[in-house]
Amino acid sequence: MEQNNQPTIQVTASGKVVVTNAKDVLLLDSEGQPIAKRNRFSLCNCGKTQDGPFCDGAHKGEFI
């Protein structure tokens, strides 16, 4: 079975934005500066995170 290594951005049913195979994805802040990232991460879509731009589960009242 062939493994998909293509960068993927998926919006889940809960609204979380999940990015996988992100090694070739350039993530920039509002000033155009690079943001350090992992190969797989979730972006905050609610604004409650303490780890912006990454989701930390604050939207559920719990941290992941």
Side-chain angles (χ1 to χ4, degrees), residues 2-55:
E2 188 176 320
Q3 185 177 2
N4 181 4
N5 292 324
Q6 183 177 14
T8 304
I9 301 172
Q10 178 182 13
V11 180
T12 66
S14 66
K16 188 171 18 173
V17 179
V18 179
V19 182
T20 54
N21 298 317
K23 68 178 185 159
D24 293 326
V25 173
L26 182 58
L27 184 60
L28 303 175
D29 66 14
S30 62
E31 297 175 358
Q33 299 301 310
I35 298 172
K37 59 179 175 32
R38 307 161 199 106
N39 190 45
R40 180 183 191 280
F41 54 88
S42 297
L43 295 172
C44 177
N45 197 24
C46 74
K48 296 180 182 177
T49 186
Q50 296 296 307
D51 189 26
F54 305 106
C55 176

